[in-house]
Amino acid sequence: MKMFTLAASAAILAWGSAAQAQQALSMWYHGAGNEVESRIINQIIADFNASQTDWKVELQSFPQAAYNDSVVAGALAGNLPDILDVDGPVMPNWAWAGYMQPLQIDESKIENFLPGTKGYWDGKLYSIGLWDAAVALVTRQSYLDELGLRTPTLEQPWTKDEFMAALDAAKASGRFEYAFDPGMAWTGEWYPYAFSPFLQSFGGDIVDRSTYLTAEGALNGEAAMAFGEWWQGLFKNGYAQATQDPADRDGGFVAGKYAFSWNGNWAALNALNAFPDTVFLPAPDFGNGPKIGAASWQFGISATSKFPEGASAFIEFALQDKYLAAFSDGIGLIPATRTAAAMTENYKEGGPMEVFFGLTEAQALVRPVTPGYVVQAKVFEKALADIANGADVASTLDAAVDEINADIEKNGGYGH
Amino acid sequence: MASKFTVSNRTGWLMAGPAILLIAGFVILPFFLAIAFSFTNQRLISPNPTEFVGLANYRQLLGVTMVTLEPVRDDTGAIVMQDGEPEYPSLRALTRNNPDRPDLAGMREWFSFSLGGEDRTYVLARDVVFMKAVVNTFIFVLIVAPVQAALALGLALLINQRLRGINVFRAIYFMPVVVSIVVVSLLWRLIYDGQSGLLNNLLGAISFGMIEPVNWLGNPSTALGAIIAMSIWQAVGFHMVIWLSGLQTISPTLYEAAAIEGASKWQVFRYITWPGLRNTAILILIVITMQAFGLFAQIDVMTNGGPLDSTQTIVFQAIERGYGKQDISGGSAISVILFLIVLSISLIQRWLTREKT
Amino acid sequence: MAMIAADNRGLRLVTRYAVLVLIAIIFVFPLVFMLMSSLKPDQQLLQDSGNLRAFLPVGDISLQNYTDAFQRAPVATFVFNSVLVTGITVALSLLLCSAAGFAFVFVRWKGRDTLLALLLATLILPFETIAIPLLMMVAHLPWVGFDGVSWGWLNSYRVQIIPFIADGLTVFLFVQYFKDLPGELIEAARVEGASWWQIYRRIVMPLSGPIFATAAILKFLVMYNQYLWPLMVTQEEGYRPVMVGLQYFFQLNVAWGEVMAYLSMITVPVLAFYLYLQKAFIASIASTGVKG
């Protein structure tokens, strides 16, 4: 008995000193309030800490809605962690500002990752995601059948005319409050994420990606004007509502208020639970190919970290297929690799959301890769809200261009 | 009061000193920094060095100019009409890429008017959104300050009577105040819902379906009104309490005397209650004005300044720019402008309510 | 005659109560909505939100949302932090600001009028406009603790308390109220040789119940509803207050039932504080026997 206690305490002592030898790495993550997500990230950290003796990751979770502000405040106060996660399109802003440093990861490890999961800025890899997210046109097979509509495929998506004909049919049926639910209640990043691909499919863009120094022509050229008129028509002609209650966004499709809902894969399970015949259709092609937004949350290393090699080791550790699959099963995200997808419930061959993997591979386009994106996204959001509410398309887009260009100039071109 | 017994430099400083020091350190000093930022190009996030830019931020915000345009004429010299109105040349041609008028570059139409005759005058602003925010804020203050103060006084008088269970009502009237404005805004967004919201269903029910559902927050002509109504609802209980504390300072002997002399209710209010509430009234007016100028949370939760800028406000713009668009210098400039506006108003208020000697 | 008068009085009483109740309904209905919604599953909550069922505990009623809310976030920690920070700030604020108000109204001293004008000007500044410079300041302030001097105030209670103890509005509240107090009383006490502290403690404070209560509740509300500042200065979960905690519930698909449950829970301390103070609001000046 005594021997046993001694042995046990010796073990504890040994373990204690081993733990002390581990260098602590602080980490911030946006998953506070999401139990499943927190459990998975904690599991990865525990596995990592147990897998080696050099590093010990310590997690601080933040609620997603407050995360970016917290990081900016932390940076201003000179108090950033070693490892942080970052929303894909925001990364160039933080990298340019000097909040982040490039990853020290063997790039062959991420060869097979979906393109949207890799965060490059200035030719260097700054962030890497375990998953991507995708948006699809959510509807029910029974709606398609009743309205007599062709089911679009990745190879043959709906054209603009087909899409509008589908909305017309849904509207004429009188069954729905609105034919289309673009998700107007989700103000914020949803607008550029979900709606700028429409603009890109029309042939326009938020900013001219050849130089990233102006939005002139991209956001107010002919293609953009056509997009603006189309967008305004959705609301003017009663296909969709410009002001939406957030509760309708969350529960409207399930309650049968909308025929088509433009929504992300994270909401897919909810729809599937309500209607087993829910289908996820690819984005319509408005002329320049069907497009959806790419890039979700990714991991990176802060510029002030004294242990980038430890932080990189952790991130590399997290990139294992089993964790990719765990996140996917837990919160419905698209795993970054095909091999991980095969391990998941929803994205494996024949899985209910397999289509999303194809969507991301085939249609995904990252948002403009520029530090100015953070501001441009805001300007774009306001312009789209105004146009939806009936503002003059040309002058609204002109004003948006002026504001974006003034911002780029004020920032000395954002390093482009 | 100015007797030698009440003069004491040491006591004055000792008692007021701690509060003054804290305010100087944590309010005034940071505000001086904000003023300094407003003359630079300081960004929230940037590797670029901060530069002094003089009044550029203020010029950008406040730039306003007018152009008068003649109507378009066809070859015969007759005015081209469109939808029964004369047509005017496009402003876009004037303000965009126009080498003749570099001063107009980047300006937008704020509003236009016609002083009789055929010509039309367009008021262009460099920052139309900010101009609208200033106008909206003033509308909000001008409606909220008097209405809320009056309603609060009415409630205070109503609640200041001896009645069984009055405490319960006092507590209930105050309840909206204890709930955070963010929470209240969330709740009211559901109530104001354009299709199936409570308010629309209620109006429909009392009018037997005569009143069509209104998209309260989605319609530029009702959005600001809806926010005003909700804001008054939320805050009126607080000012009721301040009025109440003022009512307590009025001596009951005055009321007793009035009762003996057979004064009417109105006379009692006019000659006893109201004069006794003088300092309270000043306090309430100033507090409401300050709070109204700070209008932000409701906008942030309910409308984001829309639809069509009908609910933009000064503080919302300051924050949207400073944080959302990472433009600390622009946001600071807006704060300084707001400070100057409110300072001048409170000086005018003080002058109007000064003690007449 | 007597009967009619009695009837009249009865009728008037009924009308009075009717008016009071009607107004009460207007003020309380969103809160009943909140409370009832917190008992319902999301689906039903949203269906009920447009009709009278929103105010009734009908359908599938349970405390499930409350259980889930505790699962999702450390609710107790948030409430504790908020109550602690708010309580300390309110107490210190009442002390320092009433003392300042006293000095501004009853004591004559050099610089008084200038400082008062300056203080009033600070009323106007919305906090958001000074938040960034303030953040840069507090990140580098020193602090002397048990373990020596440390730099930077982030992730602490003090950073949420000290900057908010004194504010122009609270001082102003006291100034305006003290002006209505009988000044002769103070002068008389001075003539009789009372110290300033005695006057403050024995004469002014007993007369000022209503304003202390008003200032306390105002400060309480401001502090309890803090969001932007704690968000900027607390990176550790252990120091977060309730309004930052609210963000835990706004995930991509909002769990409205849990939101309502959380809101109902965090409203309780404020309501309790108000009810506790309620008596002070009506502590009439007459009851102290002083006549103006």
Side-chain angles (χ1 to χ4, degrees), chain B residues 1-3 5-9 11-13 15-16 18-20 22-23 25-31 33-34 37 42 44 155 158-183 186-191 196-198 201 232-233 236-238 240-242 244-246 248-253 265 276 278-280 282-283 286-287 290-291 294 296 315 318-319 323 328 331-332 335 338-339 342-343 346 350 355, chain C residues 13 16-17 19-21 23-24 26-31 33-34 46 49-52 54-55 96-97 99-100 102-110 115 117-126 128-134 136-138 141 153 162-163 165-169 171-173 176-177 179-180 183 186-187 190-191 196 200 210-211 214 217-218 221 225 228 232 243 246 250 256 259-260 263 266-267 270-271 274-275 278 281-286 291-292:
Chain B
M1 282 281 296
S3 82
F5 292 107
T6 57
V7 176
S8 171
N9 279 329
T11 309
W13 277 103
M15 293 188 84
I20 290 172
L22 283 170
I23 292 176
F26 293 109
V27 179
I28 297 176
L29 186 61
F31 183 61
L33 277 173
F37 284 159
Q42 176 78 31
L44 184 63
L155 286 176
L158 190 70
I159 216 80
N160 196 33
Q161 50 185 342
R162 274 175 215 284
L163 219 54
R164 192 182 285 272
I166 199 77
N167 276 335
V168 177
F169 291 105
R170 206 197 317 268
I172 289 176
Y173 294 1
F174 192 76
M175 270 189 190
V177 183
V178 306
V179 184
S180 145
I181 185 69
V182 172
V183 174
L186 284 168
L187 290 174
W188 278 77
R189 200 164 58 169
L190 291 172
I191 293 168
S196 51
L198 204 59
N201 286 350
I232 293 177
W233 173 87
V236 73
F238 177 67
M240 171 191 86
V241 165
I242 304 187
L244 261 181
S245 75
Q248 308 302 326
T249 61
I250 301 171
S251 165
T253 44
K265 274 193 170 169
R278 211 195 119 75
N279 283 325
T280 316
I282 295 173
L283 171 73
I286 291 183
V287 171
M290 303 299 163
Q291 289 179 339
F296 168 71
V315 175
I319 293 170
Y323 297 81
I328 286 295
S332 298
S335 311
L338 175 66
F339 179 76
V342 185
L343 186 66
S346 72
R350 270 177 83 187
E355 315 232 356
Chain C
L13 205 63
R16 267 190 190 179
Y17 274 112
V19 171
L20 286 170
V21 168
I23 298 177
I26 295 175
F27 278 115
V28 88
F29 79 95
L31 307 178
F33 173 49
M34 170 175 92
L46 296 177
S49 73
N51 56 54
L52 284 178
F55 304 106
L96 296 189
C97 294
F102 181 91
F104 279 122
V105 174
F106 298 120
V107 189
R108 301 246 140 193
W109 42 287
K110 243 196 178 128
L115 280 173
L118 190 69
L119 224 54
L120 294 190
T122 65
L123 281 182
I124 301 157
L125 298 172
E128 287 81 2
T129 62
I130 57 165
I132 297 277
L134 191 59
M136 294 171 174
M137 273 174 53
V138 298
L141 283 177
W153 284 15
I162 295 175
I165 292 174
D167 69 289
L169 181 59
V171 176
F172 185 54
L173 276 173
Q176 286 303 97
Y177 187 89
K179 276 188 188 165
D180 280 339
I186 281 90
E187 187 144 352
R190 280 300 284 171
V191 175
W196 284 112
Y200 171 72
I211 201 63
T214 309
I217 192 75
L218 177 64
L221 291 172
N225 293 329
L228 180 66
M232 288 172 25
M243 290 314 283
L246 178 59
F250 287 93
W256 286 101
V259 169
M260 297 295 178
L263 295 179
I266 64 172
T267 304
V270 205
L271 208 57
Y274 172 70
L275 291 178
Q278 171 136 303
F281 287 112
I282 46 167
S284 166
I285 202 161
K291 291 181 178 147

